[in-house]
Amino acid sequence: MSSPEQALASLLSQLALSFDGAVLGIALAYTAVRSLLKFSATSSSLNKILKAPSVVHVSDLRSILAVHDDQDDSSSQPSDHHQKLVVLRGTVEAKSAVDSSWKTFKPNVLLSQESGDKAVVVQRTQTGSWITRQLVLVGAVNCPWALLCIYNEWKGFFGWPSDLRAIFARSRREQESTSIRAVPFVLVDGGRWPHSDFVVVNMDGSNHPLPLTTVFHQLQPITASPYTFLQALFGHEYPVGLLDEEKILPLGKDITAVGMCSFKNGVPEIKSCKDLPYFLSDLTKDQMIVNLAFRSKILLWGGVAFGSLSIGILGYAVMRNWNRWKEWRQNRQLQQQSQAASPDAGTQIASEEETGDVPDGELCVICLMRRRRSAFIPCGHLVCCQLCAISVEREATPKCPVCRQEIRNSLRIYDT
């Protein structure tokens, strides 16, 4: 771990343990609440998928929806208004292949630029790859040797601003630009032709991940330039190349669709359900159930564990601060009683204090006028006069001005 990361970790640990761990307890309580809320959502999704009928063949979908409509309104014809959650397994096919119109003669599909595969979804991502300043000598082969030698000698001096900046804000090492194209597609029964039965996939408003296949992966190196050398010299990172990645949803791929299915103009259509974590996936229904059941158990026990820890830490912080407040209140009452019993005690102490020629090494570190006479307990530092020591003791959380350790009392020291 580098020094900036160590400093950041130390700062975060001090913040988490402040107020006797109260901040850490609140953070654990927030994590526990979030885990339990996610557990509730995951359990609800699991129950919905368990109750949803599993459609093995697309041709069975019409009968399932027809039975659902008959139970609702006793009509023999499928309705365009009723929706039913189903789990459907089918094969990807372009919508133009099943349209009975002039579009059939013009297939509406996408082609991968690199592999030439036919697809209905193409996602292309370009990522800029960076390396840290210490590896710049490997990539900057086109820079003059003299400049590299100068950089090697002075990199410690020029590098400290970036290290200091890294403590507060970590710069991104990757810059991505993603473009996605899609055409209308349907799910059909694989191996059957013609495709008389199909279901249209409606992706409007869906933010679920797609089961895409990576077909192209290549790193294009960047030629070093004077500007690149300046980036490496005064900056924190050095660009080395562009990483191109292409993912497609090819024709003929078997996928599972989980969503609300209904008839639209007499054609079955399925769209995503925002309450479910899946829409289009490579997993089967049984695999989804296993994953959701395992995730719900982890979230439940994680929420219970974090909640128990937070209760223990917050209880300890509350009791410790309560006892500290009661101790301070008792000390305060004793001081007030002693001051009421002897109102001239302060003037007597002031008259006893030496304010004449006192060496610099024996002056009080607070007032810089009187001689050091009181030692703090339990740290034992003799750094204050008696009046300043009393004023320190009267604070809400008295601490030694040297070591910042909490003090319980002070002791008057007499010279022999």
Side-chain angles (χ1 to χ4, degrees), residues 11 37 53 125 141 146 217 253 266 295 299 310 327 347 389 407:
L11 180 63
L37 290 177
T125 305
V141 294
H217 209 187
K253 182 175 182 178
R295 190 185 306 175
L299 291 173
S310 65
E327 184 178 357
T347 58
I407 61 175

Side-chain angles (χ1 to χ4, degrees), residues 142-205:
N142 294 333
C143 295
W145 177 253
L147 292 178
L148 293 179
C149 293
I150 293 175
Y151 167 76
N152 192 31
E153 293 295 331
W154 290 86
K155 66 179 181 180
F157 174 75
F158 289 114
W160 73 268
S162 60
D163 294 335
L164 184 62
R165 185 178 66 250
I167 298 178
F168 302 98
R170 189 72 174 177
S171 59
R172 295 187 61 183
R173 296 189 178 182
E174 293 185 353
Q175 297 178 351
E176 288 188 353
S177 61
T178 303
S179 62
I180 185 170
R181 295 181 300 158
V183 296
F185 64 97
V186 298
L187 296 181
V188 299
D189 288 329
R192 294 187 180 182
W193 191 265
H195 303 303
S196 57
D197 294 308
F198 61 89
V199 57
V200 179
V201 179
N202 186 354
M203 297 183 59
D204 295 339

Side-chain angles (χ1 to χ4, degrees), residues 277 297 353 411:
K297 290 181 180 179
E353 293 289 343
L411 181 65

Side-chain angles (χ1 to χ4, degrees), residues 18-222:
S18 59
F19 300 102
D20 295 318
V23 176
L24 178 61
I26 294 174
L28 290 175
Y30 174 77
T31 304
V33 172
R34 293 275 299 179
S35 299
L36 293 178
L37 290 177
K38 290 183 178 179
F39 163 75
S40 177
T42 304
S43 300
S44 177
S45 301
L46 177 60
N47 293 331
K48 289 181 180 180
I49 293 180
L50 279 172
K51 296 178 181 178
S54 180
V55 182
V56 180
H57 300 289
V58 179
S59 56
D60 301 333
L61 185 61
R62 289 183 176 273
S63 60
I64 293 177
L65 293 179
V67 171
H68 176 66
D69 289 335
D70 290 341
Q71 294 176 353
D72 290 341
D73 54 10
S74 301
S75 70
S76 58
Q77 296 297 328
S79 173
D80 290 350
H81 303 287
H82 297 99
Q83 296 181 346
K84 184 176 180 62
L85 181 65
V86 297
V87 181
L88 173 66
R89 188 73 179 179
T91 304
V92 177
E93 185 60 65
K95 191 172 183 298
S96 58
V98 297
D99 279 340
S100 56
S101 63
W102 60 271
K103 295 181 180 180
T104 307
F105 302 100
K106 185 181 180 182
N108 188 13
V109 296
L110 301 176
L111 294 177
S112 172
Q113 296 182 5
E114 301 301 327
S115 63
D117 295 335
K118 295 182 179 180
V120 293
V121 178
V122 175
Q123 177 179 331
R124 191 175 182 86
T125 305
Q126 189 176 68
T127 305
S129 299
W130 300 68
I131 58 175
T132 55
R133 188 178 56 254
Q134 287 76 5
L135 300 178
V136 69
L137 296 180
V138 178
V141 294
N142 294 333
C143 295
W145 177 253
L147 292 178
L148 293 179
C149 293
I150 293 175
Y151 167 76
N152 192 31
E153 293 295 331
W154 290 86
K155 66 179 181 180
F157 174 75
F158 289 114
W160 73 268
S162 60
D163 294 335
L164 184 62
R165 185 178 66 250
I167 298 178
F168 302 98
R170 189 72 174 177
S171 59
R172 295 187 61 183
R173 296 189 178 182
E174 293 185 353
Q175 297 178 351
E176 288 188 353
S177 61
T178 303
S179 62
I180 185 170
R181 295 181 300 158
V183 296
F185 64 97
V186 298
L187 296 181
V188 299
D189 288 329
R192 294 187 180 182
W193 191 265
H195 303 303
S196 57
D197 294 308
F198 61 89
V199 57
V200 179
V201 179
N202 186 354
M203 297 183 59
D204 295 339
S206 172
N207 295 323
H208 297 77
L210 298 175
L212 303 179
T213 304
T214 303
V215 297
F216 175 60
H217 209 187
Q218 181 178 353
L219 178 65
Q220 299 177 359
I222 297 178

Side-chain angles (χ1 to χ4, degrees), residues 13 25 60 67 86 222 230 243 274 280 375 381 394 397 399:
S13 63
D60 301 333
V67 171
V86 297
I222 297 178
L230 292 177
L243 188 65
K274 295 182 180 180
L280 301 178
H381 284 125
R394 292 177 180 176
T397 55
K399 294 183 179 180

